[in-house]
Amino acid sequence: MAAVKRAYLAVYNWAVFFGWAQVLYFAVDALLRSGHEGVYAAVERPLQLAQTAAVLEILHGLVGLVRSPVSATLPQIGSRLFVTWGILWSFPETRTHILVSSLVISWSITEIIRYSFFGTKELFGSAPSSLLWLRYSSFLVMYPTGISSEVGLIYIALQFIKASEKYCIRMPNKWNYSFDYFYASILVLLVYVPGSPHMY
């Protein structure tokens, strides 16, 4: 069973690594060809696939495949999924902003390093010291640029969320329940304030 577990985790990590490598390649290519306005269109599908695949990491933690605590994994993956699907996919007005470029490049560099680190560990039992150094040092730059891009894009989207009332549930209805996506998004932004330094 230990061999099966390692084989599965190696395949998972390298598959997602190649997904993020594709995202980075398409992003840089789009930046060079058409500027930041074309980045999202170039990376949309591989970005969605690579980021959504991270949901499996929550499951890995829950069933004990990895030692990462779900309490640390869940907010990080949840916030990224919110930006990927709840902001960029849901509100096309945000897609041509320059922050999309810094977001995508920060995320992809971080994940290329992380998944290659864990993929190498699963295959060979350890990772080279250079990859170990990158794994625990690159976040000093990538985390602030990534998190500030996430916060910035949520903030930019607020005007479009409010105007469209997308995902809002208004009273009266048969459930006697209301939900406002605008205020929920503000709440997400407020969670970044205590959450970001803790994750850093």
Side-chain angles (χ1 to χ4, degrees), residues 13-14 17 108-139:
N13 281 292
W14 284 112
F17 163 84
S108 56
I109 290 173
T110 298
E111 300 300 38
I112 285 167
I113 294 168
R114 187 165 73 92
Y115 285 109
S116 62
F117 174 79
F118 287 119
T120 303
K121 277 187 73 175
E122 294 300 337
L123 274 180
F124 304 110
S126 64
S129 57
S130 56
L131 202 52
L132 181 69
W133 182 86
L134 281 172
R135 169 79 178 99
Y136 293 103
S137 301
S138 61
F139 80 94

Side-chain angles (χ1 to χ4, degrees), residues 79-80 83 147 150-151 154 188-197:
S79 65
R80 286 184 170 203
V83 173
I147 208 94
E150 291 175 40
V151 169
I154 297 170
V188 171
L189 277 177
L190 293 175
V191 171
Y192 271 90
V193 176
S196 300

Side-chain angles (χ1 to χ4, degrees), residues 16-32 39 42-43 46-47 50 101-113 142:
V16 184
F17 163 84
F18 284 113
W20 281 109
Q22 189 179 35
V23 171
L24 182 61
Y25 172 79
F26 287 154
V28 172
D29 183 61
L31 270 174
L32 295 175
V39 168
V43 305
L47 173 67
S101 299
S102 57
L103 176 87
V104 168
I105 290 171
S106 297
W107 279 4
S108 56
I109 290 173
T110 298
E111 300 300 38
I112 285 167
I113 294 168
M142 294 299 115

